[in-house]
Amino acid sequence: MASTGDLEPTHYPARRAAQVALHYLNTHHGSPFRVFGLQQVHKASAEDVAAGGRKYKLDFSVTDWGSGSAGPALRCSADVLFPRTERHSAPKVELHCEALQQINSTAQEDDAFYQKYISPDSTVSARDIPDSFGNMSEEMQPFWRLARVAASFIMLRESSENTEFNMAKVASITQQESSEEQLMLEFVVLLHDFPSQEIVQWKLLASWSPDRGVRVLQTEWQPRCPHATKPPN
Amino acid sequence: MRLYLAVFALLAAVHCEELFNGDQVLRINAESENHIQILKKLERDVDSGLDFWTHAVSTEQPVDIRVPHSSLYALKDFLKKNNIPFTVIINNVQEHLVREREEMVRNAKMESKTKSFNFAAYHDLETIYNFMDTLVANHSKLISKVNIGSTYENRSMYVLKFSTGGEKKPAIWIDAGIHAREWISHATAVWLADRIAKDFKENRAHVPSILSQMDIYLMIVANPDGYVFTHISSSPLSRFWCKSRSATSNPKCHGVDLNRNWDAEFGGPGASDDPCAEDYRGPSAQSEIEVKNIVKFIMSHGNFKSFMTLHSYMQLLMYPYGYIGIDAPDWPELHDVATKASKALNSWHGTVYKVGSIFHTIDQASGTSVDWAYLRGIKYSFAFALRDTGEYGFLLPADQIVSTARETWFALRYIMKYVCDHPY
């Protein structure tokens, strides 16, 4: 059923693979003031590979959600390999975006944010970001973006050709004691998988600093319904 | 005469109450030049107290006169003696004024209710239902509310019918909210209802011409039970509820995906038979009362030419099929219409929608409403997935409602005009 060769850029196989590349991009270049979203796929192709997987070649554009529709689009190309193994294993991504270094640096905002919350007295704690109506305070926005970046690690890891993840909501943010000059944040995030329409909940512990970026230290899948017994994959 | 009337009118305005009690307005139908001369002379008599609303000019035009109560008998006698025919067109001017004033006040209240209705906010079911009633009252000649049946939890399912009259004119169907958590779809539909009414009232293209040939049926909340459930709390189990609220074979899991429950390749791949799954198809096609009500309504009407459904998110404009990857017989035309509609949408804010069949843009899906409509011969069947593309997803900020609704309107209007221009 899956097609090999050129793919229609507006159809879901190309879009799902591009979304995986986006998750990868965000794990590497996301920050409290930068999260990338897919603008559109320009070209895509796929082929089965020798080791039993499927490799997608993509040409696509991304935008920084922070700058809105007015922001510049970055052109990227990526190879996304979905392994075909007994048990699920994470896709492998090779990514190149032009002019990545040239987009406006968020170093100032990153530093200000870091200085504000690295203090030992800081105990940020919040729920429902955004709320049911899409509202989010300005103070929470960088935390929401950090959650989104941290969630990208999970979404990247859990992705397959049959999934398309986005972060639906941050259920809770609880700042932990800082460690090794890293902001430590415990998030509970809700991920939405577009094909199955399922919402899955994950708890994770992440660290961040302007120097080291986002690192995810622990993840834990959380059953939401009493009947659920195991994670999707 | 004019000055006299003006002063009189001013005084009347100041002392409005009871000034015209018992006064009548007579319509005089002059039949000869002689009659005209008599009426002209009457009008020249300033002391008569007669208030000529229209002047005696020719036998072609009636002459309307407001006659003070005290002069009524005398004037009627005079007209009869001269064989000048007349009729009483307003029996009691005071009563008439009171009724008119009451209606104006009522209208102003209604107007301010819809004017003050906040389209840039998400509203609960009761507020939306009240909005519908207000809209109908404000546009009672154009819009009526049709109750097409009850939900699982016994709530009414309403459709707004926009019609300029006629028997079962060819019709367009638009529904929103079949998936409860997709709040932008309900909010968009609320705005659309108001916009269609406004465009008709203000004679703005293409609504009057569309409504002269077709009726529009707009169902703002296709899944009321689910929508109410999403308002219970901000907990994900509530706000992200998608399905209906019916009991299933699993006591721990409720609800059916109403967009997998239609009799269109029901049971095929692209839906689940696990009651706990988000895309649970239900035990059988049309098992859900909500789907059954819509099906019954559309089938018994029998003259729908277009079926469109609003969802979120992903910014897609889709056409059949969902259940299979082959092109629908009308694929070239549907693709062309959808492409042009998405361009119309894009022209407003630059929002980019992708166009394609459900199967190819989302995934294989069986038992969908759009497939059902198309397989029943409703050729122009489309599904919208509104904003955004994943940044906020289901939690689209309310400040995007109006721009989303407006750009969606441009696409819908294009499609409706096309359907109108291409009868079949």
Side-chain angles (χ1 to χ4, degrees):
Chain A
M1 208 185 78
S3 48
T4 305
D6 284 343
L7 301 175
E8 183 58 54
T10 56
H11 291 178
Y12 72 77
R15 198 180 60 228
R16 286 179 193 174
Q19 186 71 334
V20 170
L22 253 302
H23 295 319
Y24 179 89
L25 175 62
N26 281 320
T27 59
H28 280 74
H29 295 279
S31 78
F33 294 90
R34 173 154 293 137
V35 176
F36 291 103
L38 178 66
Q39 192 201 52
Q40 65 174 337
V41 179
H42 303 290
K43 284 215 304 271
S45 64
E47 56 176 0
D48 288 340
V49 293
R54 195 165 177 75
K55 186 197 274 200
Y56 289 71
K57 279 180 127 57
L58 305 159
D59 171 12
F60 57 102
S61 291
V62 306
T63 54
D64 176 6
W65 278 344
S67 357
S69 50
L74 275 186
R75 196 66 173 246
C76 300
S77 62
D79 283 358
V80 177
L81 172 65
F82 292 104
R84 296 260 173 88
T85 51
E86 271 288 316
R87 277 185 59 203
H88 172 81
S89 57
K92 293 188 177 39
V93 180
E94 276 170 40
L95 173 73
H96 173 75
C97 292
E98 61 186 37
L100 199 50
Q101 312 312 322
Q102 285 158 42
I103 47 174
N104 285 336
S105 165
T106 60
Q108 256 189 325
E109 295 109 311
D110 286 347
D111 273 333
F113 176 74
Y114 178 78
Q115 293 307 327
K116 183 170 179 187
Y117 293 104
I118 197 65
S119 108
D121 305 329
S122 178
T123 50
V124 173
S125 166
R127 303 188 60 82
D128 292 330
I129 315 290
D131 68 14
S132 288
F133 307 90
N135 297 322
M136 184 184 343
S137 70
E138 227 182 281
E139 195 200 355
M140 280 298 122
Q141 278 178 20
F143 290 102
W144 178 82
R145 290 192 203 102
L146 272 179
R148 180 56 168 80
V149 174
S152 299
F153 285 82
I154 301 175
M155 294 191 281
L156 173 63
R157 189 184 70 199
E158 300 296 316
S159 287
S160 73
E161 286 168 282
N162 303 315
T163 62
E164 193 173 343
F165 287 111
N166 269 299
M167 186 178 79
K169 180 175 163 133
V170 181
S172 71
I173 301 168
T174 319
Q175 184 172 11
Q176 311 290 303
E177 201 179 308
S178 301
S179 160
E180 293 172 26
E181 296 180 341
Q182 305 296 305
L183 276 186
M184 299 293 285
L185 296 159
E186 182 193 83
F187 296 112
V188 175
V189 298
L190 292 152
L191 308 179
H192 175 235
D193 173 44
F194 196 62
S196 69
Q197 288 294 307
E198 296 290 341
I199 305 264
V200 285
Q201 186 165 301
W202 286 84
K203 182 154 128 181
L204 60 114
L205 181 65
S207 70
W208 176 79
S209 70
D211 299 327
R212 277 218 263 163
V214 176
R215 304 257 172 108
V216 170
L217 310 165
Q218 283 168 37
T219 66
E220 182 191 314
W221 173 78
Q222 305 209 301
R224 283 174 57 233
C225 305
H227 64 280
T229 50
K230 60 173 175 59
N233 276 319
Chain B
M1 185 66 172
R2 287 274 121 207
L3 185 64
Y4 172 78
L5 282 172
V7 170
F8 189 70
L10 193 68
L11 282 170
V14 169
H15 306 283
C16 208
E17 316 301 310
E18 290 300 314
L19 213 50
F20 303 107
N21 203 14
D23 294 3
Q24 289 185 349
V25 177
L26 305 186
R27 173 157 287 174
I28 321 286
N29 294 293
E31 284 173 338
S32 67
E33 191 50 41
N34 187 35
H35 287 171
I36 296 291
Q37 292 311 316
I38 293 173
L39 290 169
K40 275 186 174 166
K41 196 167 163 208
L42 208 52
E43 196 175 348
R44 279 196 296 269
D45 179 3
V46 197
D47 298 325
S48 68
L50 298 178
D51 180 6
F52 276 73
W53 284 8
T54 57
H55 305 296
V57 172
S58 78
T59 55
E60 302 301 304
Q61 293 159 345
V63 179
D64 294 342
I65 314 175
R66 181 182 63 79
V67 184
H69 180 72
S70 54
S71 311
L72 258 180
Y73 183 76
L75 180 66
K76 282 177 179 172
D77 201 42
F78 177 78
L79 292 170
K80 280 183 195 141
K81 280 213 173 81
N82 284 279
N83 289 315
I84 302 178
F86 66 91
T87 49
V88 178
I89 56 170
I90 297 180
N91 195 33
N92 184 332
V93 177
Q94 181 61 27
E95 264 178 29
H96 182 82
L97 283 177
V98 167
R99 266 184 283 123
E100 263 197 14
R101 171 114 80 68
E102 278 174 356
E103 200 188 315
M104 262 173 57
V105 169
R106 227 186 356 255
N107 280 341
K109 271 206 191 124
M110 294 296 193
E111 285 263 324
S112 74
K113 263 200 216 160
T114 46
K115 267 200 189 112
S116 66
F117 184 88
N118 188 0
F119 292 100
Y122 294 107
H123 299 288
D124 63 18
L125 188 73
E126 192 187 331
T127 309
I128 291 180
Y129 277 15
N130 286 337
F131 163 82
M132 288 199 265
D133 288 337
T134 306
L135 195 72
V136 168
N138 249 349
H139 302 269
S140 52
K141 285 204 182 69
L142 177 70
I143 313 178
S144 57
K145 186 176 82 170
V146 185
N147 185 334
I148 69 163
S150 298
T151 63
Y152 180 84
E153 290 176 342
N154 219 15
R155 295 185 174 87
S156 296
M157 292 177 71
Y158 294 120
V159 183
L160 291 178
K161 175 184 178 184
F162 295 76
S163 176
T164 56
E167 265 301 303
K168 291 249 173 95
K169 290 210 309 250
I172 293 166
W173 171 273
I174 304 171
D175 69 66
I178 211 170
H179 285 150
R181 61 190 176 200
E182 298 167 6
W183 282 14
I184 185 60
S185 72
H186 317 70
T188 292
V190 164
W191 187 94
L192 289 173
D194 183 71
R195 176 64 189 243
I196 295 171
K198 253 213 283 277
D199 276 12
F200 182 79
K201 183 167 164 195
E202 293 166 14
N203 206 27
R204 197 177 344 182
H206 301 281
V207 170
S209 64
I210 292 169
L211 286 172
S212 70
Q213 294 162 72
M214 303 187 77
D215 292 341
I216 298 172
Y217 288 84
L218 176 62
M219 174 163 245
I220 297 178
V221 190
N223 179 7
D225 293 351
Y227 193 58
V228 168
F229 196 80
T230 61
H231 277 86
I232 292 175
S233 84
S234 62
S235 131
L237 283 165
S238 162
R239 175 61 179 85
F240 288 136
W241 189 260
C242 180
K243 305 188 279 183
S244 67
R245 290 294 304 165
S246 55
T248 70
S249 56
N250 185 329
K252 292 206 191 107
C253 297
H254 291 256
V256 167
D257 182 342
L258 293 177
N259 201 27
R260 297 288 184 279
N261 187 246
W262 299 69
D263 186 11
E265 297 300 313
F266 180 90
S272 171
D273 46 26
D274 174 5
C276 302
E278 287 286 34
D279 61 349
Y280 174 49
R281 63 167 67 96
S284 59
Q286 290 179 202
S287 60
E288 299 310 284
I289 184 76
E290 291 87 355
V291 170
K292 221 196 301 270
N293 288 338
I294 298 175
V295 167
K296 205 162 59 152
F297 181 77
I298 291 180
M299 294 306 281
S300 64
H301 181 284
N303 205 16
F304 276 92
K305 299 300 179 187
S306 175
F307 179 97
M308 295 187 276
T309 181
L310 305 183
H311 290 254
S312 78
Y313 55 92
M314 205 45 97
Q315 289 171 206
L316 302 167
L317 214 184
M318 301 167 282
Y319 44 77
Y321 295 116
Y323 82 93
I324 198 170
I326 59 166
D327 291 338
D330 300 289
W331 174 83
E333 188 187 6
L334 294 178
H335 185 81
D336 186 58
V337 172
T339 301
K340 295 205 168 91
S342 77
K343 287 207 171 85
L345 186 154
N346 175 263
S347 70
W348 183 247
H349 276 297
T351 308
V352 175
Y353 270 54
K354 301 289 190 281
V355 168
S357 73
I358 294 171
F359 182 96
H360 286 120
T361 53
I362 294 189
D363 210 334
Q364 185 171 28
S366 60
T368 63
S369 66
V370 169
D371 279 359
W372 173 84
Y374 185 76
L375 292 169
R376 288 292 172 298
I378 302 175
K379 179 160 55 149
Y380 299 112
S381 292
F382 298 97
F384 284 72
L386 304 177
R387 289 197 197 173
D388 56 19
T389 54
E391 185 178 352
Y392 290 97
F394 300 121
L395 304 180
L396 192 74
D399 63 14
Q400 289 195 45
I401 293 174
V402 174
S403 49
T404 301
R406 199 175 275 129
E407 68 192 10
T408 306
W409 168 237
F410 288 129
L412 281 169
R413 187 175 63 183
Y414 174 84
I415 296 174
M416 293 199 290
K417 169 107 178 41
Y418 185 92
V419 173
C420 213
D421 293 343
H422 295 82
Y424 63 94

